[in-house]
Amino acid sequence: GAGVSQSPSNKVTEKGKDVELRCDPISGHTALYWYRQSLGQGLEFLIYFQGNSAPDKSGLPSDRFSAERTGGSVSTLTIQRTQQEDSAVYLCASGQPTYEQYFGPGTRLTVT
Amino acid sequence: GENVEQHPSTLSVQEGDSAVIKCTYSDSASNYFPWYKQELGKRPQLIIDIRSNVGEKKDQRIAVTLNKTAKHFSLHITETQPEDSAVYFCAADYSNYQLIWGAGTKLIIKP
């Protein structure tokens, strides 16, 4: 079946612009996670959605970052007024709590 | 707060030898401990996991051991091959069914 998909695969934007990153999880997965990974670094947790519960936003690095998940499926991560330090690969994963997380291919964001 | 420490950060082994990566966790309530492999330029993928009611689990050349008393778990790879070269991440679950991730171990297999 189809895995987790993300779009765009690459995004180059100018400093100060807003960007939206999209994640399509595997159908039926109640949990959805966003991570950020800088080059050669580990997985930095950003936000977690579980079913209809309020999302866990504890990992968002600043109020420029926000995310939503519509209808318990597709999620978008929005970064406002992008900064150069936002450049990274943004990974989305879906799954069931305490079971395997299936990762998407990621969106590589470059802020110039 | 809860954390997971992973060692070593880089591990270089001769092809055919064994590799061991160790993680310690802080939350005694953690019950689920997965290991993910991330090849260069690719997404992380689960390779093996273990739950707290089991002390060891094997899958061909890989195995994971868990010591709940000491709060540490380890990944063992035997007869290493070039395709084992990757970054390996350990993780542990905590209160709201999230995962706390280790910082990763870069495994290099020398021919």
Side-chain angles (χ1 to χ4, degrees), chain B residues 1-110:
Chain B
E2 297 86 359
N3 74 303
V4 172
E5 293 189 0
Q6 183 172 348
H7 299 281
S9 56
T10 304
L11 177 60
S12 183
V13 301
Q14 205 70 40
E15 182 179 349
D17 289 350
S18 295
V20 180
I21 302 169
K22 299 181 179 181
C23 289
T24 59
Y25 61 98
S26 59
D27 187 355
S28 57
S30 293
N31 286 306
Y32 175 61
F33 308 91
W35 286 88
Y36 283 75
K37 175 184 181 182
Q38 186 176 28
E39 297 178 21
L40 189 63
K42 299 197 174 179
R43 71 192 82 180
Q45 290 190 300
L46 180 74
I47 54 170
I48 196 167
D49 57 13
I50 192 167
R51 296 187 185 270
S52 58
N53 58 344
V54 175
E56 183 176 5
K57 184 176 179 181
K58 290 184 180 179
D59 183 2
Q60 299 182 342
R61 295 187 298 107
I62 60 173
V64 57
T65 58
L66 171 64
N67 184 327
K68 282 222 74 177
T69 303
K71 289 192 282 189
H72 65 71
F73 56 112
S74 300
L75 177 70
H76 304 252
I77 306 174
T78 58
E79 301 172 14
T80 53
Q81 300 171 4
E83 54 265 36
D84 295 330
S85 293
V87 177
Y88 292 80
F89 293 98
C90 65
D93 72 319
Y94 71 106
S95 60
N96 61 346
Y97 305 110
Q98 283 208 59
L99 293 178
I100 306 177
W101 295 83
T105 296
K106 183 176 182 179
L107 177 61
I108 300 166
I109 308 299
K110 297 180 291 186

Side-chain angles (χ1 to χ4, degrees), chain A residues 4 33 35 37 41-43 45 48 56 58 91 97-105 108, chain B residues 32 36 38 41-46 49 51 89 93-94 96-99 101-104:
Chain A
V4 177
Y33 311 80
Y35 297 95
Q37 189 172 37
Q41 301 299 308
L43 298 166
F45 165 73
Y48 163 53
D56 179 345
S58 61
L91 290 164
T98 69
Y99 287 87
E100 180 174 1
Q101 291 187 19
Y102 294 83
F103 284 81
R108 182 176 300 279
Chain B
Y32 175 61
Y36 283 75
Q38 186 176 28
K42 299 197 174 179
R43 71 192 82 180
Q45 290 190 300
L46 180 74
D49 57 13
R51 296 187 185 270
F89 293 98
D93 72 319
Y94 71 106
N96 61 346
Y97 305 110
Q98 283 208 59
L99 293 178
W101 295 83

